[in-house]
Every structure is written in structure tokens, then in C-alpha cells.
Amino acid sequence: MAYILLYVDDIILTAFSDSLRCSIMALLASEFAMKDLGLLNYFLGIHVTRHKDGLFLSQHKYAEEIIDRAGMSSCKATSTPVDTEPKVSSTSGAPYDDPSHYRSLAGALQYLTFTRPDISYAVQQGTLDYGLHLYPSSVIDLLSYTDADWGGCPDTGTEGARTLSFHLDKVVL
């Protein structure tokens, strides 16, 4: 068994055995100009660190780059990822001076939260050091929570969090 993750011209390839991985690499290299960068280290803004029990995935560097682009590098980090102030309405405050810059930052934060649903609410508070630990496991049920503060929107007044539940046939690390 092998898994290939392809995004534009970036590829992650993992296989059940090194010989299978090498044969797939050879087949791909016969069709495309490729370079084997070795063990996975950084992919699409996600830094991968190996430890004795598994992997740690972090977007610390990517999040710092977003903060730099927003001109907020000198801001103080928060001690809690939870909003401690009242919510801001879409009608409060003055319009942003540079809409294209704002849209670029919003898109970057959207990507950050799409790839990290566990911090989708907390990302607005500056949670740079959070990450995802991956360990081998025999557990085949995955429970995911999203829209953690969906009910706190002052404009819509909607309530509730959503829960997604999946059953996996096999978990491979």
C-alpha cells in the first residue's frame, strides 16, 4: 500500500515498504523531472518533526509569516487561546484601508484553519505553538469538532457546535 499526496508540483509519498516507495519514485521519475528531498520536513506551511513515538505537525512558521505580513510582529502573545473580550460585529469600526491586503490575510488564516480544525476558533487569538501529535494507534474512530464558537456570532445569533464522526478502516502512520 502506498499513499501519494499531490498539490500542484509538491508531492508526499509514503509506502508500506522502502522498495515499493523506490519503485514508485522510479516510475514517476521516468515521466517527470523530480527530486527526492528525503524525509518529510515541511509541506504547504506544515513543519513536520519526528520523535521516537511519532510525528509532530506545526504551522508555527506559517502563522508567524502571516503575522509579519499583517504588520503585527511586535504585538504581545496572548496567554489563552480563548476570546476574553466582547465579540466584534461586522458593522462596528471603520472599513479596512487596503481590501486586497485584508483579503490576502483572511485567505491565509482560512488556509491555516482548514488544515488545523482544532484551532479554527483559537487561531484569531495567536496560538502559534499549538500542533498536532500523530502516534501509531489501534483506535479506528475519529471524532472531530468544528465551529466551536459558531453560536457566539453577534450578527447572526446562531447557536451550537457541530460534531463530525468518522470510522476508519485502517490507520497508518
Side-chain angles (χ1 to χ4, degrees):
M1 182 177 300
Y3 294 95
I4 295 177
L5 174 61
L6 174 66
Y7 182 81
V8 185
D9 61 352
D10 294 323
I11 298 174
I12 296 177
L13 170 62
T14 186
F16 180 72
S17 69
D18 196 47
S19 61
L20 175 59
R21 186 190 60 80
C22 288
S23 69
I24 292 171
M25 289 284 295
L27 286 170
L28 289 170
S30 70
E31 296 291 326
F32 308 100
M34 291 183 43
K35 184 175 183 181
D36 185 353
L37 298 176
L39 293 175
L40 181 62
N41 182 33
Y42 195 78
F43 186 74
L44 301 178
I46 301 171
H47 182 253
V48 179
T49 307
R50 297 180 184 312
H51 52 82
K52 67 178 182 127
D53 296 322
L55 303 173
F56 178 69
L57 308 180
S58 169
Q59 289 182 296
H60 181 97
K61 181 179 174 189
Y62 179 73
E64 277 186 337
E65 290 170 0
I66 297 170
I67 291 168
D68 286 343
R69 278 184 22 214
M72 298 178 67
S73 297
S74 62
C75 293
K76 289 191 277 182
T78 183
S79 59
T80 176
V82 178
D83 188 3
T84 58
E85 300 295 323
K87 304 287 185 224
V88 178
S89 170
S90 63
T91 58
S92 64
Y96 198 71
D97 290 337
D98 183 358
S100 62
H101 184 240
Y102 175 80
R103 285 191 294 272
S104 171
L105 292 171
L109 288 171
Q110 186 177 32
Y111 170 75
L112 181 65
T113 60
F114 282 167
T115 57
R116 291 290 313 284
D118 59 317
I119 63 168
S120 61
Y121 172 65
V123 73
Q124 67 174 329
Q125 303 303 318
T127 55
L128 292 178
D129 297 318
Y130 284 11
L132 180 62
H133 292 273
L134 299 178
Y135 301 99
S137 174
S138 60
V139 175
I140 57 174
D141 291 318
L142 174 66
L143 185 62
S144 174
Y145 300 93
T146 186
D147 290 319
D149 193 43
W150 183 50
C153 178
D155 295 325
T156 63
T158 55
E159 298 178 11
R162 298 180 184 188
T163 303
L164 304 173
S165 183
F166 302 94
H167 180 77
L168 307 173
D169 290 331
K170 186 173 183 180
V171 177
V172 178
L173 177 61

